[in-house]
Amino acid sequence: MPTPPTDSFHRKIDYLRLSITDRCNLRCVYCMPEEGVAKLDHSEMLSYEEIVRLARIAISMGISKVRITGGEPLVRKDALSLCESIASLPGIASLTLTTNGVLLSDFAEGLFKAGIARVNISLDTLKPERFLRIARKDLFSRVWAGIMAADRAGFSPVKLNTVVMAGVNDDEIEDLARLTFDYPFHVRFIEFMPFQQRDYDSLFIPAFEILERLRRIAPLEKVTVSESNGPALHYGFKGAKGKIGIISPVSDHFCPNCNRLRLTADGKLRSCLFSVDETDLFQLLRRGASDDEICAAMVAAINSKPEKHHLSSAVFRKCISRPMFSIGG
Ligand code: SAM
Ligand code: SF4
């Protein structure tokens, strides 16, 4: 297997997040406006052949871990066959998927068989009426059924991602964490990031406060997790089947250990979630570029990866160029 490339700050870059669509069947308040979302035309989106080609080139460079995301990846037609194609690329170490879970009951078994190693499912609440307020669709029961289907299909661990917002769902931190006593899930609490900026400061809860609330349930021990690929800090309650993850993109820079690249559904390569810089691989592909040219463009993007983001700066927040569903979270 090739050695992963390193960037200018000696970080090993071995992880690619592939957004395969900007479409979504939910409208989460922190991610997407309710109406008037400008959608990419199909002619502006990478085809599956192009996505697989870019994944193959990235893997040949040593970027061996791939996550499929969106928008909601499972709404794109034939998402399963794309997963199969990427999973069978020589040299891939792990293929994972992030989903809102709405369609997971139908897909979980197929995804497992297709070679998806793990799924992350967004779950901000256990209350159906609150789900409707946050995701703007009355689909909690479908998501819960999807989570159960993922568990039955054999995904291990099933990871649940909760974006914590003050006065919206922070009163459920404890209940969501308690799921780890009953299920072998990893429940991961994510700091709210300023993509849909309205009332941002009053909604934000820093990771240390989330941790404080968790410690009220029972003593929390720090644990290590073998399949971890990213910035979560892991904890566990004594006797629990599952684990707790805390992801603090805002209050704590995990930039020194960042190993990721992102490819948007319209073929723009981003070396930082919060940067405004993008490398246009779409144009290169459509101009008939060779694998070597594409590889060189990827290397240039890696070399220009910024040392860190400036997300806590109010000035920078105004500069976030794309919403989360369009970048691929
Ligand atoms: N639709 C899929 C889903 O919801 O899991 C995949 C795409 S979504 C953009 C990926 C992740 O980004 C989700 O876990 C979501 O909660 C997270 N996310 C979106 N907007 C966010 C924000 N403003 N702050 C923190 N996390 C956010
Ligand atoms: Fe859709 Fe995921 Fe964004 Fe929610 S977080 S609107 S499910 S892309």
Side-chain angles (χ1 to χ4, degrees):
M1 217 187 280
T3 315
T6 49
D7 70 2
S8 328
F9 302 97
H10 313 292
R11 292 171 297 198
K12 187 174 77 169
I13 308 300
D14 61 358
Y15 183 31
L16 174 65
R17 294 174 77 101
L18 283 177
S19 173
I20 65 167
T21 181
D22 64 339
R23 312 284 204 272
C24 189
N25 44 7
L26 298 182
R27 289 287 180 276
C28 304
V29 286
Y30 48 75
C31 176
M32 223 171 175
E34 186 162 19
E35 286 172 347
V37 185
K39 290 182 192 144
L40 290 172
D41 188 78
H42 274 289
S43 62
E44 299 170 303
M45 283 167 68
L46 293 174
S47 68
Y48 280 175
E49 290 70 26
E50 288 168 328
I51 294 174
V52 174
R53 180 174 174 207
L54 293 177
R56 175 177 57 70
I57 295 170
I59 292 165
S60 74
M61 293 165 59
I63 298 166
S64 59
K65 301 169 197 164
V66 178
R67 173 171 296 275
I68 294 179
T69 181
E72 172 47 39
L74 297 181
V75 301
R76 186 158 173 186
K77 198 162 166 256
D78 294 330
L80 208 52
S81 70
L82 175 70
C83 293
E84 277 164 7
S85 306
I86 297 179
S88 60
L89 287 170
I92 190 159
S94 83
L95 179 63
T96 51
L97 177 111
T98 299
T99 172
N100 61 29
V102 170
L103 297 173
L104 203 49
S105 298
D106 303 332
F107 279 97
E109 233 182 282
L111 289 168
F112 192 73
K113 285 188 186 138
I116 294 283
R118 285 180 303 282
V119 285
N120 287 16
I121 307 163
S122 296
L123 183 74
D124 298 322
T125 176
L126 295 167
K127 301 179 180 178
E129 68 287 359
R130 183 172 282 179
F131 185 95
L132 171 62
R133 278 206 298 284
I134 297 176
R136 300 189 180 114
K137 304 273 175 192
D138 195 6
L139 291 169
F140 173 79
S141 56
R142 293 267 294 275
V143 173
W144 188 254
I147 292 168
M148 292 299 130
D151 191 32
R152 276 197 309 278
F155 287 106
S156 175
V158 168
K159 295 187 183 179
L160 304 180
N161 289 345
T162 303
V163 178
V164 181
M165 291 162 286
V168 177
N169 65 346
D170 62 316
D171 57 341
E172 286 189 80
I173 292 174
E174 290 87 343
D175 287 345
L176 285 156
R178 281 195 192 94
L179 289 175
T180 63
F181 287 108
D182 298 326
Y183 302 96
F185 300 159
H186 286 195
V187 177
R188 295 143 43 101
F189 295 98
I190 307 174
E191 281 177 347
F192 176 40
M193 294 183 273
F195 284 96
Q196 296 285 317
Q197 290 161 26
R198 204 163 42 91
D199 305 329
Y200 177 73
D201 290 319
S202 61
L203 291 167
F204 176 71
I205 301 191
F208 78 85
E209 203 178 313
I210 300 172
L211 253 179
E212 256 171 41
R213 300 218 204 159
L214 293 169
R215 290 190 202 285
R216 282 182 216 152
I217 303 173
L220 260 186
E221 288 165 7
K222 243 183 157 175
V223 294
T224 49
V225 168
S226 58
E227 79 289 343
S228 176
N229 203 12
L233 290 176
H234 296 96
Y235 299 85
F237 294 116
K238 204 166 177 212
K241 295 178 181 164
K243 297 198 167 53
I244 302 284
I246 305 279
I247 305 178
S248 47
V250 183
S251 68
D252 179 28
H253 275 302
F254 42 60
C255 306
N257 300 315
C258 182
N259 60 348
R260 35 185 84 177
L261 289 178
R262 291 182 150 84
L263 182 69
T264 65
D266 57 346
K268 310 295 184 290
L269 190 66
R270 295 174 68 104
S271 58
C272 172
L273 176 58
F274 306 109
S275 159
V276 289
D277 295 330
E278 299 182 338
T279 301
D280 193 346
L281 298 183
F282 185 87
Q283 288 300 332
L284 269 181
L285 286 163
R286 298 283 159 117
R287 272 201 276 114
S290 66
D291 285 5
D292 284 348
E293 284 173 275
I294 292 168
C295 189
M298 287 183 176
V299 169
I302 291 170
N303 287 336
S304 69
K305 187 171 165 77
E307 185 179 13
K308 59 184 178 185
H309 69 66
H310 301 277
L311 197 51
S312 47
S313 121
V315 176
F316 183 78
R317 283 189 215 154
K318 296 202 179 96
C319 308
I320 289 177
S321 56
R322 281 178 185 248
M324 190 69 150
F325 70 89
S326 151
I327 300 172

